Amino acid sequence: MPNTPAPPTALCFDLDDTLIDDVAASSTGLRAVMERLGHPHFGSARALWDTQTEISFGAYLRGHLSLDEQRRQRIRALAVQAGHSDIADQHCDELYRLYLDAHRSAWQVYPDTHTTLAALGRAGYRLAVITNGVEALQHAKLQALELTGYFHTVVCADTAGSGKPDPRIFHFAAQRLGVDPSACWHVGDQVQADAVGATAARMHPVIVDRSGRPPFEGLSTITDLESLPRMLGLAVPAGGI
């Protein structure tokens, strides 16, 4: 792990797959849509869904597609893979609602999320969420999983006017926290969106990689959230935070 700067006065967090296990939730949603479409192979569906999400949601963040249009593109790609060459907008919308309902049923935090956020809050750090997710959905997750109270602000791409890795969304969060970006660390799971974006915004990035792979060269990398308080020099009781 590279040398880290002086401890920050504030920390910003990505939400999905940093604090919340979105891979598990999206897999649950995906399986519900696959069952309706008669799609037989989860591995190929998962790979396609991830690729199409990156393409279509990225276009949405850049203002090239509406929220509904990017959702329909993702459903249509899956439907074509399952052998359905023609699917109406209304059917796409129905299938995406099915996806969202199943996704919501599987929301869960990682085991170290609450303990870590509580420890940081007790130590006096100001905390924020910076997410490219849709604001209404992200706030619903935070409330349902009892995370809202930890954060001084939640910044979402659709209301901030820019998304990660654009440095403007990081600057917006720092402004809401009342600190200079250089006094913030940003914690996330994506190198491009989180690390590159935070660096461009003059925040110190920390990557959470729970896969057990070798650390990313040149980046502060941790394998679980409970390592974060230790990086900041906080006392951690035996057996956990």
Side-chain angles (χ1 to χ4, degrees), residues 16 37 52 84 141 193 239:
D16 294 331
L37 290 170
Q52 191 64 52
H84 306 282
K141 290 178 189 174

Side-chain angles (χ1 to χ4, degrees), residues 117-134:
L117 295 176
L120 295 172
R122 287 195 300 270
Y125 290 102
R126 296 179 65 80
L127 306 179
V129 167
I130 303 177
T131 171
N132 283 347
V134 178

Side-chain angles (χ1 to χ4, degrees), residues 11-161:
L11 294 104
C12 300
F13 289 86
D14 171 56
L15 185 57
D16 294 331
D17 294 320
T18 298
L19 302 177
I20 294 173
D21 188 352
D22 190 66
V23 168
S26 63
S27 292
T28 299
L30 182 58
R31 288 185 187 278
V33 176
M34 288 174 61
E35 182 178 358
R36 186 69 60 87
L37 290 170
H39 193 306
H41 193 272
F42 179 77
S44 59
R46 177 84 248 188
L48 175 65
W49 186 259
D50 290 345
T51 299
Q52 191 64 52
T53 296
E54 183 175 353
I55 294 168
S56 299
F57 195 77
Y60 161 70
L61 288 174
R62 294 189 296 274
H64 299 160
L65 292 174
S66 71
L67 182 63
D68 286 340
E69 286 168 344
Q70 66 87 19
R71 288 173 169 176
R72 290 167 185 158
Q73 280 193 356
R74 292 156 64 194
I75 291 291
R76 280 199 171 94
L78 192 65
V80 168
Q81 191 181 58
H84 306 282
S85 59
D86 187 20
I87 180 169
D89 285 354
Q90 182 179 352
H91 193 193
C92 288
D93 295 344
E94 291 170 356
L95 288 170
Y96 202 84
R97 284 194 293 271
L98 174 67
Y99 171 82
L100 286 176
D101 288 344
H103 186 280
R104 181 185 295 267
S105 74
W107 288 349
Q108 59 183 347
V109 296
Y110 290 107
D112 51 9
T113 294
H114 280 286
T115 52
T116 297
L117 295 176
L120 295 172
R122 287 195 300 270
Y125 290 102
R126 296 179 65 80
L127 306 179
V129 167
I130 303 177
T131 171
N132 283 347
V134 178
E135 180 163 11
L137 183 60
Q138 301 298 70
H139 276 286
K141 290 178 189 174
L142 290 165
Q143 184 173 4
L145 297 172
E146 300 182 346
L147 294 174
T148 302
Y150 294 115
F151 297 104
H152 293 82
T153 189
V154 177
V155 177
C156 303
D158 57 336
T159 51

